[in-house]
Amino acid sequence: MELHVLDHPLVAHKLTVLRDKNTPSHTFRELISELVMLETYEATRGLEVVDKPIETPVAPMVGKHIAEPRPLIVPVLRAGLGMLDGMTKMISSAEVGFLGMKRDEEHPTQQITYANRLPEDLSGRQCFLIDPMLATGGTLVAATHYLAERGAKDVTAINIIAAPEGIKFVEEHIDPSISFKVVVCAVDESLNEKCYIVPGLGDAGDRLYGVID
């Protein structure tokens, strides 16, 4: 597993505003999108491209074009939807799938899959899993293996913040046959007794879309 933590003043500033409990939902959504755009620059460094002959207003040249099959962006519902706009702005040619997973509150590292809108065959696809929080790591491992069962061998996870316990869990449980990378804005101190990241930013889904009882 390859881990990349963004170290940049813009990221640090935006993340601080994002964490503030007084930041309203509309600003929170804007910041999530902006942070994802910054993360995408690093996450797509290994994106496959092919030569593309074009003509500029001055002369012909051979440029670069994102290769087929197109990359696949997979938000983990529901909080991952808040990251989708930033990703598609940066990779407009990508396709989008959806994966609904939620943590089993009695067994925090186990996941319940409740929705799936993905291609059956992901062979040869570069896949990007987006979810704001890497807490226990259970969702990320389950989602990555879910893609791998459909043939994905190249998966990059983009998270806003992560807990050390979650990173350790992923390192120990991810299938080593998968080319796997994680990009985050920050690694926080720890998980609390409820498996929430500390200091964290609260429940990302609730702060993006409101509380659902």
Side-chain angles (χ1 to χ4, degrees), residues 79-142:
L81 287 175
M83 303 171 70
L84 183 57
D85 181 61
M87 280 288 292
T88 53
K89 282 180 179 177
M90 296 295 286
I91 322 176
S92 58
S93 63
E95 293 184 336
V96 178
F98 297 93
L99 185 57
M101 284 187 167
K102 63 181 181 180
R103 184 168 66 191
D104 185 335
E105 296 301 334
E106 295 184 3
H107 305 91
T109 60
Q110 297 181 23
Q111 310 304 311
I112 299 170
T113 302
Y114 63 88
N116 158 36
R117 186 67 174 173
L118 295 168
E120 287 299 320
D121 185 6
L122 296 177
S123 302
R125 301 292 290 268
Q126 290 181 285
C127 299
F128 296 88
L129 276 169
I130 52 176
D131 193 2
M133 318 292 279
L134 199 178
T136 64
T139 297
L140 182 52
V141 170

Side-chain angles (χ1 to χ4, degrees), residues 14-15 17-19 23-40 78-87 89 130-133 158-161 185 201-205 207-209:
K14 292 177 186 295
L15 189 55
V17 181
L18 190 77
R19 293 181 189 272
T23 296
S25 289
H26 69 274
T27 304
F28 190 92
R29 289 192 291 269
E30 291 171 1
L31 288 166
I32 287 282
S33 183
E34 291 170 3
L35 284 166
V36 171
M37 292 173 72
L38 294 169
E39 288 186 286
T40 302
R78 70 179 165 137
L81 287 175
M83 303 171 70
L84 183 57
D85 181 61
M87 280 288 292
K89 282 180 179 177
I130 52 176
D131 193 2
M133 318 292 279
I158 302 178
N159 310 104
I160 303 297
I161 59 174
C185 293
L201 48 79
D203 187 297
R207 295 194 66 186
L208 280 162
Y209 304 117

Side-chain angles (χ1 to χ4, degrees), residues 3 5 19 160-164 167 184-190 197-198:
L3 173 67
V5 182
R19 293 181 189 272
I160 303 297
I161 59 174
I167 292 172
V184 299
C185 293
V187 178
D188 279 13
E189 296 172 8
S190 62
I197 300 175
V198 179

Side-chain angles (χ1 to χ4, degrees), residues 4-18:
H4 186 90
V5 182
L6 269 62
D7 181 14
H8 193 284
L10 277 178
V11 173
H13 170 83
K14 292 177 186 295
L15 189 55
T16 298
V17 181
L18 190 77

